[in-house]
Amino acid sequence: MLWKLFLAVCVSSVLRGTLCSTASLRRANDGGGRCLYTFTVPSPVEHSCPEPAAEQELRRQGALQRTEMEALQTRLGLMEALVSRLAGPGGAGGQGRGLEAAYSATMREKTELQRERDRLEAERQELQSRVDRLGQENSRLRLGQCGPSATPLRNSDKRPPDGSSLDYSSPGFQEFKSEVTEVRASSLLPSPAPTHSDNTDTDPPSCGELVWVGEPESHRKADSISGKYGVWMQDPEPVHPYGPEMTWRLDAVGSTVRQLFGYEDRKQLSRGFPSKVLLLPESVESTGAVVYRGSLYYQRRKSRTLLRYDLRTESVAARRELPHAGFHGQYPYSWGGYTDIDLAVDETGLWAIYSTSKAKGAIVLSRLDPDSLEVLHSWETSVRKQSVANAFVICGTLYTVASYTTPNTTVNYSYSTESGHGRALSIPFLNRYRYNSMIDYNPARRQLFSWDNYHMVTYDVRLGTV
Ligand code: CA
């Protein structure tokens, strides 16, 4: 009977989820000749009762799921906050507009950084130019202190083969000589200066030697550091769609000079806004570019490659290396600025003014084929390129200017390609703004175009009879 009761309790315990093995049966003698059976079953409500393993696992998984759910809710909250922020205060436009706004802000920052970089590069180049200028002035002062007072140095051994009296042994000498030999224009020219600021209606003048340069007339002052030096010009032989009044300008400060600005005429240049902006396919080096017969001719940056850029088709029409030409600071003019290759136009065609290692830094003048850029003929002068400020060609004769910074300087040398001889000159030339970085001749206007310390200026010139 008791056994049956014990089994019943066991079955009942199993049904309630407890284990039979946890029950215990004890038998004892009660001292009265009777057996006493005692059994013990753990109560399911007691904490000491072990839980089934499956339930423990479920409880553990439940806890894990709760943790994961809480983590998901946290992440969802963060994403909602991000979407809300990107969508902006109005909430319209959604995430796309938010991303677009963030992208635009990033691009604006990038543009600002690029501008800042260009500005710093311009400042660096300007400082470099100042260092160069101070070095030259230092050399000039040493010459003045060590040589005979106010007497041009002469050295017959170093006299040019053409018989001129200039000494080209010192880079600073041209500038020094200019200061001690300059005379006023009035003492050279008894007749009044010609006045023709816009003389395109007149017949092409006959050729002759340069005898007089007028005072500079400023047409425009550049309004940013990128225009401290540059090149500006009008085409002496324009090609449709551009006429003779069309005026072109390149600001040359900076490492990537590619924007060519076009103005309807000089008045528009003075007013400010270009009517045409062309982006050149390759960067320009320095201030030696010219416009001629409907094309811009220029030296590609960091190379001796010349490019002919057709202004009508807005594409490169020809390219060719200028054989053996120094570039990127090898043979610049005295003011520096990577003015190694200076192109020029005169009544007779297109020219390149440069130097080579064979010429040991002396100016080489080459006539170029305007279509192919091929060198047709070359002349080697005795003038060191680094000893002069700039050069231009009139009627097949090369002229150099002594100083780019001395206000009252001179056109101090000429070299005739017809005779193959050079000679010293002393024609007064005024650097009104004291930092002249470009001088070119325009045969149609019979004027010099120049860029002097932010100022785009012209000089009238007068030619003598041959
Ligand atoms: Ca020039």
Side-chain angles (χ1 to χ4, degrees):
M1 187 67 184
L2 286 171
W3 283 105
K4 288 181 180 176
L5 178 61
F6 175 68
L7 286 174
V9 169
C10 273
V11 170
S12 174
S13 297
V14 167
L15 289 175
R16 288 200 306 268
T18 60
L19 294 174
C20 288
S21 60
T22 60
S24 62
L25 175 66
R26 194 155 53 93
R27 185 175 61 179
N29 193 329
D30 65 350
R34 290 178 296 181
C35 291
L36 182 64
Y37 290 91
T38 312
F39 66 90
T40 306
V41 178
S43 169
V45 298
E46 288 179 8
H47 293 297
S48 60
C49 292
E51 292 181 2
E55 187 173 338
Q56 285 182 332
E57 179 63 20
L58 282 175
R59 284 177 186 275
R60 191 178 65 80
Q61 289 182 1
L64 285 173
Q65 284 176 348
R66 276 197 302 276
T67 304
E68 287 179 1
M69 184 60 71
E70 287 171 2
L72 280 174
Q73 283 178 343
T74 303
R75 290 172 62 188
L76 184 58
L78 289 171
M79 288 185 70
E80 285 175 346
L82 179 63
V83 169
S84 173
R85 185 163 57 85
L86 291 175
Q95 189 175 2
R97 263 200 271 173
L99 287 171
E100 191 177 342
Y103 177 74
S104 297
T106 305
M107 292 307 292
R108 280 197 299 274
E109 287 180 6
K110 181 187 171 193
T111 304
E112 285 298 316
L113 285 172
Q114 285 175 335
R115 281 186 189 153
E116 182 66 9
R117 186 194 62 188
D118 290 345
R119 188 184 65 77
L120 290 172
E121 172 64 16
E123 287 184 359
R124 188 192 66 76
Q125 290 195 10
E126 188 177 1
L127 285 172
Q128 182 62 49
S129 295
R130 285 184 188 173
V131 168
D132 293 343
R133 192 169 69 244
L134 286 172
Q136 286 157 11
E137 287 177 356
N138 188 33
S139 300
R140 194 185 67 217
L141 287 172
R142 278 205 303 272
L143 276 172
Q145 288 166 356
C146 299
S149 177
T151 303
L153 296 177
R154 294 178 187 277
N155 184 337
S156 57
D157 294 334
K158 293 178 179 176
R159 188 168 297 178
D162 52 53
S164 69
S165 60
L166 291 175
D167 177 22
Y168 308 108
S169 60
S170 166
F173 178 70
Q174 297 282 338
E175 203 163 315
F176 171 68
K177 180 177 172 56
S178 74
E179 290 194 345
V180 299
T181 58
E182 281 170 357
V183 290
R184 299 188 65 81
S186 56
S187 65
L188 286 177
L189 290 172
S191 57
T195 55
H196 41 76
S197 58
D198 285 300
N199 60 350
T200 51
D201 295 334
T202 60
D203 293 332
S206 58
C207 268
E209 290 186 356
L210 178 70
V211 295
W212 175 86
V213 178
E215 292 200 349
E217 177 188 358
S218 180
H219 300 269
R220 172 74 191 268
K221 182 182 180 186
D223 49 12
S224 72
I225 181 63
S226 62
K228 179 173 176 60
Y229 48 90
V231 53
W232 75 292
M233 53 233 151
Q234 290 178 302
D235 193 339
E237 297 184 29
V239 174
H240 182 78
Y242 301 110
E245 299 300 325
M246 190 72 184
T247 305
W248 300 94
R249 165 187 173 182
L250 269 167
D251 292 2
V253 176
S255 57
T256 52
V257 179
R258 290 179 59 195
Q259 283 187 321
L260 176 65
F261 300 105
Y263 301 84
E264 294 297 328
D265 50 32
R266 289 184 185 177
K267 286 180 182 171
Q268 194 195 5
L269 174 77
S270 301
R271 285 196 296 267
F273 297 106
S275 59
K276 188 86 179 175
V277 180
L278 297 176
L279 188 64
L280 302 172
E282 294 170 67
S283 292
V284 181
E285 181 128 301
S286 196
T287 60
V290 294
V291 171
Y292 182 55
R293 294 184 181 175
S295 288
L296 173 78
Y297 294 82
Y298 71 94
Q299 175 201 351
R300 194 184 71 182
R301 183 171 180 265
K302 285 188 174 179
S303 78
R304 59 172 62 93
T305 301
L306 301 180
L307 296 177
R308 178 163 80 84
Y309 179 81
D310 190 304
L311 294 169
R312 183 180 61 81
T313 63
E314 300 179 7
S315 61
V316 174
R319 71 168 61 222
R320 186 180 291 270
E321 283 203 347
L322 185 59
H324 311 297
F327 61 91
H328 206 63
Q330 203 171 355
Y331 303 116
Y333 289 129
S334 57
W335 78 276
Y338 301 138
T339 48
D340 299 70
I341 298 176
D342 186 17
L343 299 172
V345 172
D346 74 346
E347 293 81 353
T348 66
L350 179 66
W351 303 85
I353 305 163
Y354 59 104
S355 189
T356 64
S357 55
K358 178 173 170 289
K360 296 183 175 62
I363 287 182
V364 174
L365 178 65
S366 289
R367 180 188 289 280
L368 304 181
D369 182 317
D371 291 325
S372 68
L373 297 168
E374 196 175 358
V375 172
L376 301 176
H377 196 96
S378 290
W379 293 263
E380 188 175 317
T381 74
S382 302
V383 177
R384 287 192 60 187
K385 190 156 179 290
Q386 278 185 290
S387 71
V388 296
N390 217 301
F392 51 90
V393 181
I394 300 177
C395 296
T397 295
L398 174 82
Y399 295 90
T400 66
V401 175
S403 169
Y404 67 94
T405 184
T406 304
N408 295 300
T409 185
T410 57
V411 176
N412 63 343
Y413 176 79
S414 71
Y415 182 92
S416 167
T417 57
E418 189 177 351
S419 68
H421 291 151
R423 67 187 184 94
L425 297 175
S426 187
I427 301 172
F429 186 98
L430 177 60
N431 290 316
R432 175 165 288 159
Y433 306 102
R434 304 186 176 210
Y435 197 87
N436 203 329
S437 58
M438 163 243 166
I439 306 171
D440 269 339
Y441 175 61
N442 184 307
R445 296 181 176 274
R446 186 149 284 185
Q447 283 185 320
L448 297 177
F449 281 50
S450 180
W451 194 299
D452 187 0
N453 208 2
Y454 296 95
H455 288 270
M456 286 147 255
V457 301
T458 52
Y459 299 78
D460 288 334
V461 300
R462 186 180 178 188
L463 306 186
T465 54
V466 179

